Amino acid sequence: MPVAVITGGNKGLGLSQSQRFIAAGYEVYIVARSRADFDQLGPQAHFVACDIAADREATYLADIHAKAGPISALVNNAGVHLKKPVWDVSPDEFDMVLDVNVRAMFASCGRYVNLHRDTGGAIVNIASMGGIMGLPSAAAYVTAKTAVVGLTRSVAVDAAQFGIRCNAVSPGFIDTDMTRAILAKDPARRDKIEGRIPGRKFGTPQDVANTVYYLASDQAAYVNGANLPVDGGYAVGF
């Protein structure tokens, strides 16, 4: 049974990703700080308690590798958002955003490559449309997600010699519980956003999960260093 590791894979977009890999027959190791929503995933899912920002060398990957063997797919999904303009972001807040969104991913990419030089594999990093375009009042987040796109390209170039591919997915406006809760307070804002999406609708968590799975699978065997937007054309049609 192939093995996938998904950080933050027990809630939000990560939960849909875990479900997609499980449906495809993967054994999925979910790395997160809490077990929220984990129990609904079934026997193919394994919980690994870890604060990825504190694990500066991604030792959790070595532990999973020692237990389960080669990891076919690593999905760096865990992330954090901060809704503030650049002049309101404190140094500690900026460090927190970078620690979770960039430094933890940097460490996991490096650890994964070192563990899989002889077996190959696939890394999928979750970026954002904030890595493609500017977003209002999100300077720290946009900085971090832009770094994710650059990291993805560099890992793709360096790790290809080991048969390891690295790609990114940039979700746009996705219809999650959190999104609905936020926009329920401002229905006019949702209408405004949908009016800017060429297809006039939000995406679903499954749209993101299917793209992540594609990039991790052999169907994308010759896709390397790509950043695939899952945004209904928002970034190009804005």
Side-chain angles (χ1 to χ4, degrees):
M1 183 179 293
V3 173
V5 172
I6 304 176
T7 63
N10 59 324
K11 57 184 179 180
L13 295 180
L15 180 62
S16 293
Q17 294 164 29
S18 296
Q19 292 168 333
R20 180 65 182 87
F21 278 86
I22 288 170
Y26 278 70
E27 189 173 8
V28 178
Y29 285 79
I30 292 166
V31 181
R33 289 183 297 179
S34 76
R35 294 179 64 95
D37 297 328
F38 170 78
D39 294 335
Q40 64 182 278
L41 288 170
Q44 285 172 235
H46 308 272
F47 180 75
V48 178
C50 180
D51 179 351
I52 60 170
D55 188 352
R56 305 285 286 189
E57 298 183 3
T59 57
Y60 64 87
L61 278 177
D63 294 340
I64 295 170
H65 185 272
K67 179 180 180 179
I71 300 164
S72 299
L74 165 64
V75 183
N76 286 309
N77 167 77
V80 63
H81 192 274
L82 182 66
K83 187 72 172 175
K84 285 186 177 183
V86 64
W87 55 84
D88 282 340
V89 178
S90 71
D92 286 345
E93 288 173 326
F94 188 52
D95 282 344
M96 178 271 294
V97 173
L98 291 182
D99 282 345
V100 177
N101 292 329
V102 182
R103 293 189 179 103
M105 190 180 295
F106 190 97
S108 65
C109 286
R111 176 70 73 166
Y112 184 87
V113 173
N114 279 331
L115 290 169
H116 295 85
R117 288 170 180 254
D118 297 326
T119 59
I123 301 171
V124 182
N125 296 326
I126 304 302
S128 164
M129 62 180 179
I132 301 171
M133 58 189 293
L135 299 177
S137 299
Y141 180 76
V142 168
T143 298
K145 290 303 186 177
T146 302
V148 168
V149 174
L151 172 63
T152 298
R153 291 170 178 160
S154 292
V155 174
V157 171
D158 290 340
Q161 62 184 304
F162 306 119
I164 297 171
R165 297 179 298 106
C166 185
N167 293 288
V169 173
S170 286
F173 290 101
I174 307 299
D175 193 16
T176 63
D177 290 341
M178 181 181 296
T179 301
R180 285 193 294 271
I182 293 172
L183 295 180
K185 303 173 186 176
D186 188 2
R189 184 183 174 203
R190 178 166 190 138
D191 292 341
K192 183 177 180 180
I193 292 170
E194 287 183 335
R196 291 177 175 175
I197 301 170
R200 299 296 188 267
K201 64 179 181 179
F202 280 38
T204 69
Q206 291 72 33
D207 291 326
V208 177
N210 287 336
T211 306
V212 170
Y213 178 75
Y214 162 71
L215 289 173
S217 75
D218 290 340
Q219 291 181 329
Y222 202 57
V223 181
N224 193 27
N227 176 30
L228 293 186
V230 183
D231 65 353
Y234 184 90
V236 296
F238 181 76

